[in-house]
């Protein structure tokens, strides 16, 4: 059994890993924006190219073991690959076409709340009061950050339901992968997620391109007259796909799916700060309040514990 000092050290490293991963994912929106707006890549193209290359790179290190231990685990890997890959990214991208960016950002941030609710209601897991309160505070901070630029929330059923579906799919992945984490290495799990995500997205890519008569833009990644395309793509593959998913799955071993998913609240904050330095976008007072609430919510979720009296009341 690990000593308290060693346990605290491992937990601190896990928190740092979750912070770095959420930061990379927050910055990924800017890279994706460059490739989609300036490079002309479609959302499905971006997903398939990015994760296909990440899969091939992982395969170089994990080619000795291709299949999982049994068919049940293989089905679970497929579920995780769809929920954390093709379903999540494609529904989110379509949501952006049917509702406002603010709606997608806010509804996409509900994933930690979905995770906590499923754990409590379906699996009867105990979710601490600090986690619930911290999640609500951080979610309020996300709302402040998203709406700080003056864009309001307007109900648009089709896009809003797609955004909620993306959020729910990530929550399902977070819970499903928990069973696989003790049985397989992080490299193996991540490679399987990428494989099933890409395989299930390929038919959608082919259908979209044939239906619209659109060209594939993969050659632009090798256009040396526009090196920003290749550089942004490599950042997405190496830092936002390979390293991010590997670290995220390892963090869930230590913190669990609920506490780990709370770090997703950092993504809008990181995007806002990155846009300030890279694109020169302004940060308004409501954005600063959102920063404080998000950070405060994460601290509450980690530190707030029930008093002995409250624990006794809960048992009663």
């Amino acid at each position: 059994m690990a000593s308290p000092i060693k346990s605290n050290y491992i937990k601190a490293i896990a928190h740092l890993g979750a912070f770095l991963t959420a930061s990379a994912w927050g910055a990924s929106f800017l890279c994706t924006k460059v490739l989609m707006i300036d490079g002309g890549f479609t959302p499905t193209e971006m997903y398939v190219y990015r994760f296909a290359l990440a899969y091939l790179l992982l395969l170089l290190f994990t080619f000795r073991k291709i299949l999982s231990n049994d068919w049940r685990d293989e089905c679970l890997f497929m579920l995780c690959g769809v929920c954390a890959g093709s379903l999540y990214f494609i529904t989110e991208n379509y949501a952006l076409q049917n509702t406002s960016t603010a709606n997608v950002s806010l509804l996409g941030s509900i994933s930690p709340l979905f995770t906590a609710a499923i754990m409590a209601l379906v699996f009867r897991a105990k979710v601490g009061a600090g986690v619930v309160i911290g999640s609500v505070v951080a979610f309020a901070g996300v709302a402040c950050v998203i709406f700080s630029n003056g864009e309001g929330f307007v109900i648009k059923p089709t896009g809003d339901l797609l955004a909620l579906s993306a959020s729910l799919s990530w929550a399902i992945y977070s819970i499903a992968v928990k069973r696989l984490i003790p049985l397989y290495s992080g490299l193996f799990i991540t490679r399987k997620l990428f494989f099933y995500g890409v395989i299930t997205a390929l038919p959608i890519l082919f259908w979209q391109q044939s239906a619209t008569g659109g060209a594939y833009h993969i050659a632009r990644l090798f256009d040396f007259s526009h090196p920003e395309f290749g550089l942004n793509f490599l950042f997405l593959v190496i830092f936002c796909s390979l390293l991010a998913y590997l670290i995220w799955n390892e963090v869930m071993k230590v913190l669990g799916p609920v506490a780990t998913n709370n770090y997703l609240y950092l993504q809008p904050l990181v995007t806002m700060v990155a846009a300030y330095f890279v694109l020169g976008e302004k940060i308004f007072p409501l954005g600063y309040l959102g920063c404080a609430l998000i950070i405060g919510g994460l601290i509450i979720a980690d530190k707030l514990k029930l008093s002995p009296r409250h624990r006794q009341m809960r048992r009663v």
Side-chain angles (χ1 to χ4, degrees):
M1 187 174 181
S3 66
I5 295 177
K6 185 177 180 179
S7 298
N8 290 335
Y9 174 76
I10 294 173
K11 189 176 180 182
I13 294 296
H15 281 296
L16 177 61
F19 171 79
L20 293 175
T21 302
S23 298
W25 284 339
S28 70
F29 290 108
L30 299 179
C31 299
T32 303
K33 184 177 180 180
V34 170
L35 290 165
M36 290 178 60
I37 294 178
D38 299 334
F41 293 86
T42 67
T44 310
E45 266 191 302
M46 277 307 310
Y47 171 75
V48 171
Y49 299 159
R50 170 182 164 183
F51 284 90
L53 178 56
Y55 170 77
L56 292 175
L57 291 175
L58 278 176
L59 191 61
L60 295 175
F61 300 97
T62 59
F63 61 89
R64 294 182 184 277
K65 183 176 177 64
I66 300 298
L67 298 176
S68 54
N69 297 336
D70 55 55
W71 67 268
R72 293 182 182 84
D73 287 352
E74 199 69 28
C75 290
L76 200 54
F77 274 119
M78 182 183 296
L79 174 65
C80 291
V82 170
C83 288
S86 53
L87 179 62
Y88 174 78
F89 282 96
I90 293 173
T91 52
E92 186 177 65
N93 289 332
Y94 274 110
L96 286 169
Q97 296 179 357
N98 291 276
T99 189
S100 67
T101 303
N103 285 29
V104 175
S105 299
L106 185 65
L107 295 174
S109 299
I110 297 179
S111 182
L113 296 178
F114 274 142
T115 306
I118 295 172
M119 292 291 291
L121 297 176
V122 179
F123 297 97
R124 304 295 181 184
K126 292 183 179 180
V127 179
V131 171
V132 175
I133 295 171
S135 296
V136 172
V137 171
F139 181 72
V142 169
C144 290
V145 169
I146 292 169
F147 299 136
S148 64
N149 61 0
E151 187 177 3
F153 187 91
V154 179
I155 296 176
K156 297 182 178 180
T158 302
D160 294 344
L161 286 174
L162 285 170
L164 283 172
S165 298
S167 185
L168 179 60
S169 72
W170 185 269
I172 293 172
Y173 149 70
S174 300
I175 295 169
V177 78
K178 186 180 179 182
R179 182 191 181 281
L180 299 169
I181 285 174
L183 304 176
Y184 301 92
S185 69
L187 286 170
F188 184 82
I189 292 173
T190 305
R191 194 200 76 205
K192 297 292 281 188
L193 298 184
F194 292 172
F195 172 77
Y196 283 114
V198 171
I199 287 296
T200 52
L202 278 174
I204 300 174
L205 174 63
F206 296 147
W207 173 77
Q208 285 181 341
Q209 297 302 102
S210 62
T212 61
Y216 295 94
H217 301 89
I218 192 168
R220 294 187 181 177
L221 298 175
F222 306 96
D223 184 357
F224 295 105
S225 63
H226 293 281
E228 67 273 14
F229 296 154
L231 292 175
N232 279 282
F233 181 72
L234 286 176
F235 177 82
L236 289 172
V237 171
I238 296 173
F239 292 98
C240 302
S241 298
L242 276 176
L243 294 179
Y245 275 81
L246 284 171
I247 294 171
W248 194 257
N249 288 328
E250 291 298 319
V251 168
M252 281 201 286
K253 288 183 182 180
V254 180
L255 301 182
V258 177
T260 302
N261 268 4
N262 274 346
Y263 275 90
L264 294 176
Y265 291 128
L266 285 173
Q267 291 186 63
L269 186 156
V270 172
T271 303
M272 180 184 69
V273 174
Y276 171 79
F277 286 105
V278 177
L279 303 178
E281 296 183 2
K282 293 181 179 180
I283 299 178
F284 298 93
L286 193 59
Y288 290 110
L289 174 61
C291 292
L293 288 174
I294 291 171
I295 295 171
L298 292 175
I299 294 173
I300 291 171
D302 184 52
K303 300 298 182 182
L304 181 64
K305 308 294 182 183
L306 285 174
S307 66
R309 179 184 176 187
H310 286 166
R311 292 196 194 99
Q312 186 175 6
M313 289 175 67
R314 281 184 66 185
R315 285 196 295 269
V316 174

